[in-house]
């Protein structure tokens, strides 16, 4: 059993995109996966509904949970699944704090843009509080919505490295149209056709970095 929370107090950093792609990749690798939508906007549930419309069945279980309930219910439900992926909205909420408290792995997608980097200490403050009662949690950051070229990705990585409490994954997911295109039909970037090989490779590098594999038993 493993609980992975995708979090960042900053909005629009691809949290839901990463969470839903993770859920699909793990379920397609044969795992029993629970997706918890902890965001009032319910984007992960929207993705799930779209996937059902496209494929007829989604291949995982999805539920909405919020506030303190998110913590108690996750602890009840997670043991029944191989993986639980929690998607949280981009704000400091009770749901965010609950999702950080129960996680085995926290994934923080970071955009290589100034406002996003300046907001990182806010996310870390909440995570450092969570570490008080969840000391074993692995806290990982990676660069996402990155530029295809230029210095900003590297500069953002260097900025993240200044926070020793964060594990910077060797992962850069570039801004590629395949991600929103896949989402639009409820698919993962690994399923989307025409296949964007670079997008798939970048997403696979995230799976590898956290010890997961796309198409094999974990
Ligand atoms: N690698 C990518 N390339 C291009 N577009 C992307 C990529 N990742 C995410 N997006 C797009 O960026 C936008 C924000 O992504 P997403 O909704 O996943 O972010 P979020 O962090 O969940 O936002 P919120 O804080 O509102 O919950 C969406 O339109 C999504 O399709
Ligand atoms: Mg979201």
């Amino acid at each position: 059993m493993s609980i992975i929370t995708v979090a960042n107090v900053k909005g629009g950093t691809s949290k839901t995109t990463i969470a839903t792609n993770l859920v699909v990749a793990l379920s397609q690798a044969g795992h029993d996966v629970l997706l918890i939508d902890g965001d009032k906007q319910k984007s992960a549930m929207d993705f799930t509904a779209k996937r059902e419309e496209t494929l007829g069945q989604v291949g995982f279980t999805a539920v909405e949970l919020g506030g303190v309930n998110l913590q108690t219910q996750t602890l009840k439900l997670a043991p029944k699944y191989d993986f639980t992926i929690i998607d949280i909205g981009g704000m400091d909420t009770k749901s965010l704090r609950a999702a950080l408290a129960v996680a085995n792995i926290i994934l923080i997608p970071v955009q290589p843009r100034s406002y996003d980097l300046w907001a990182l200490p806010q996310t870390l403050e909440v995570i450092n509080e969570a570490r008080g009662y969840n000391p074993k949690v692995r806290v990982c950051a990676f660069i996402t919505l990155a530029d295809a070229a230029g210095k900003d990705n590297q500069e953002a990585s260097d900025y993240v490295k200044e926070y020793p409490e964060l594990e910077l994954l060797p992962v850069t997911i570039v801004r590629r149209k395949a991600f929103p295109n896949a989402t639009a039909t409820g698919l993962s970037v690994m399923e989307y056709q025409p296949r964007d090989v670079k997008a798939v490779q970048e997403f696979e590098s995230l799976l590898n970095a956290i010890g997961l594999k796309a198409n094999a038993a974990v």
Side-chain angles (χ1 to χ4, degrees):
M1 166 193 124
S2 185
I3 302 174
I4 302 173
T5 293
V6 188
N8 192 328
V9 296
K10 187 83 177 65
T13 65
S14 80
K15 296 178 292 295
T16 305
T17 302
I18 297 300
T20 51
N21 274 275
L22 267 179
V23 168
V24 172
L26 290 168
S27 61
Q28 293 206 328
H31 299 292
D32 207 0
V33 186
L34 175 65
L35 169 62
I36 295 181
D37 191 340
D39 182 1
K40 280 188 182 152
Q41 283 191 342
K42 301 187 173 51
S43 304
M45 295 309 285
D46 287 344
F47 171 86
T48 307
K50 184 52 78 177
R51 185 170 176 82
E52 179 132 22
E53 202 180 299
T54 302
L55 300 177
Q57 47 108 26
V58 297
F60 54 85
T61 303
V63 295
E64 294 166 40
L65 290 171
V68 179
N69 212 21
L70 189 149
Q71 186 164 348
T72 48
Q73 289 297 313
T74 301
L75 291 174
K76 259 190 175 172
L77 292 169
K80 302 183 205 294
Y81 294 86
D82 300 325
F83 290 95
T84 297
I85 310 295
I86 311 180
D87 179 39
I88 291 292
M91 280 203 298
D92 182 2
T93 55
K94 277 190 185 144
S95 297
L96 171 66
R97 287 167 184 260
L100 298 178
V102 296
N104 301 111
I105 301 178
I106 298 170
L107 286 180
I108 311 171
V110 179
Q111 265 201 92
R113 305 272 82 100
S114 303
Y115 287 134
D116 293 77
L117 297 173
W118 295 337
L120 193 57
Q122 288 172 37
T123 301
L124 286 178
E125 202 180 306
V126 191
I127 289 175
N128 287 338
E129 269 178 45
R131 278 193 214 262
Y133 31 91
N134 185 7
K136 287 190 185 158
V137 66
R138 181 178 172 196
V139 184
C140 307
F142 61 97
I143 305 299
T144 187
L145 287 163
D147 301 330
K151 290 190 297 188
D152 290 6
N153 301 343
Q154 187 55 50
E155 283 175 8
S157 296
D158 291 344
Y159 180 92
V160 174
K161 278 185 207 152
E162 285 172 24
Y163 294 90
E165 66 267 55
L166 270 180
E167 176 184 346
L168 176 65
L169 300 176
V171 174
T172 298
I173 297 185
V174 170
R175 185 182 285 274
R176 299 188 190 279
K177 198 73 176 63
F179 284 96
N181 285 355
T183 299
T185 49
L187 298 177
S188 76
V189 78
M190 300 171 113
E191 298 166 308
Y192 179 71
Q193 297 290 338
R195 193 173 170 86
D196 182 332
V197 176
K198 286 185 179 161
V200 171
Q201 283 173 348
E202 286 160 9
F203 185 69
E204 281 178 349
S205 75
L206 173 64
L207 293 173
N208 289 334
I210 53 172
L212 308 176
K213 277 195 181 143
N215 288 310
V218 175

